[in-house]
Amino acid sequence: MTVMLQISDPHFGTEQPPVVEALLRLVKQQQPTLIVMSGDLTQRARRGEFAAARQFVDRLAPVPALVIPGNHDIPLFNLPARAFNPYANYRRAFGNALEPVHESHDALVLCLKTTRRYRHKDGEVSNAQIQRVASQLERATPRQLRVVVTHQPVAAAVASDHKNLLHGREQAIAAWARAGVDLILGGHIHLPYVMPLQDLPRRVYAVQAGTAVSTRVRDGIPNSVNLIRHDGSSPQVLVERWDYLAAGDAFAPVMRHTLALGKT
């Protein structure tokens, strides 16, 4: 059984210590096999914020964590740093792997760097990235859950979020669907939802996470994370949304999606 915990947009620098501790308790309780952090680890890409994010990830050990940068993880006001070395502080904390990969008997998880120094907050996926990911997906085994992780979303649940969608998403979704993708995980907009993508040769779902621990919650939605459970022998995947409930000072399950996999 693969149990994947998706943590997005913690924005260290705006984190709430009680929520951080509650999330660490959830990890200990649920014992995921993998943690995916889908960007915006920091609020302003400062060294101290990255140090706090790194300390948090270290406390998740021994669970392996895949981490990618979001638009908040490159400098906004330091223009020389943004232009010439935008990932310096990120690399100092998390190393040079900006597009990590995880492969196990039951899962293939491919992470993409969708931030661009020349875009303020929008994300972009290049033709080279699309083709590389498609090739990796095509080599997956039938048993593996095939997951792609981006920071910006590929589908919007509300009209106001269309402006936040990933540039190049139409070509990417089509190519990855043909190659066998099951889930596309994202963050960025602090709005959790699960959405089936339409008019594709197989079932593909956009899975969005809210902000995990930041004060920057949206529309009154609490801090939240996703737990994704998959048994390689099953044609289904379970996606659970867990919200932080202040009354109990703990994350609790509030929504569950049982998603069919495979061809339509």
Side-chain angles (χ1 to χ4, degrees):
M1 169 74 73
T2 293
V3 181
M4 190 182 315
L5 175 63
Q6 183 191 7
I7 297 173
S8 198
D9 299 83
H11 287 279
F12 279 90
T14 67
E15 77 275 15
Q16 304 171 86
V19 185
V20 171
E21 295 303 318
L23 181 51
L24 290 166
R25 291 195 297 272
L26 176 66
V27 171
K28 185 175 181 179
Q29 174 195 49
Q30 294 296 315
Q31 297 186 338
T33 54
L34 178 68
I35 292 171
V36 174
M37 299 187 68
S38 44
D40 278 0
L41 282 75
T42 66
Q43 176 63 11
R44 284 289 173 252
R46 298 184 175 116
R47 286 194 186 192
E49 294 169 351
F50 275 117
R54 177 74 252 185
Q55 183 181 49
F56 170 75
V57 172
D58 288 343
R59 294 180 69 188
L60 299 173
V63 184
L66 298 182
V67 183
I68 60 170
N71 55 290
H72 276 260
D73 297 322
I74 58 178
L76 178 61
F77 301 115
N78 186 340
L79 297 182
R82 185 181 183 93
F84 297 108
N85 202 2
Y87 300 101
N89 285 343
Y90 180 93
R91 291 177 191 272
R92 186 176 289 108
F94 291 102
N96 292 323
L98 300 181
E99 298 186 312
V101 173
H102 170 85
E103 185 164 10
S104 67
H105 187 55
D106 291 334
L108 174 65
V109 185
L110 308 171
C111 298
L112 286 178
K113 178 182 74 65
T114 55
T115 54
R116 299 292 188 264
R117 71 186 74 194
Y118 50 82
R119 292 191 181 278
H120 174 214
K121 63 178 182 177
D122 288 1
E124 177 182 310
V125 59
S126 68
N127 288 332
Q129 287 175 308
I130 293 171
Q131 295 308 313
R132 174 169 51 80
V133 167
S135 296
Q136 291 171 298
L137 290 168
E138 287 169 350
R139 294 194 293 270
T141 69
R143 185 180 177 89
Q144 287 176 314
L145 180 70
R146 284 148 286 189
V147 180
V148 174
V149 185
T150 64
H151 176 58
Q152 288 84 0
V154 297
V158 295
S160 61
D161 280 327
H162 280 280
K163 64 182 183 296
N164 294 310
L165 292 177
L166 183 69
H167 294 267
R169 64 192 177 279
E170 297 95 342
Q171 301 93 322
I173 292 169
W176 298 343
R178 290 192 299 269
V181 74
D182 297 307
L183 307 179
I184 304 176
L185 274 54
H188 185 57
I189 55 175
H190 300 195
L191 186 66
Y193 53 87
V194 176
M195 178 182 295
L197 303 179
Q198 303 299 319
D199 302 320
L200 297 171
R202 64 180 290 108
R203 296 177 180 90
V204 181
Y205 304 91
V207 178
Q208 287 290 127
T211 174
V213 300
S214 173
T215 57
R216 301 179 68 237
V217 294
R218 173 176 171 178
D219 299 336
I221 298 171
N223 296 106
S224 69
V225 296
N226 293 326
L227 271 167
I228 300 168
R229 306 180 193 271
H230 176 65
D231 181 340
S233 62
S234 172
Q236 297 178 330
V237 61
L238 181 64
V239 180
E240 301 169 352
R241 174 179 148 194
W242 289 63
D243 285 3
Y244 175 75
L245 304 182
D249 187 27
F251 281 83
V254 297
M255 197 171 297
R256 177 177 294 184
H257 304 268
T258 301
L259 308 178
L261 301 175
K263 294 183 179 180
T264 55

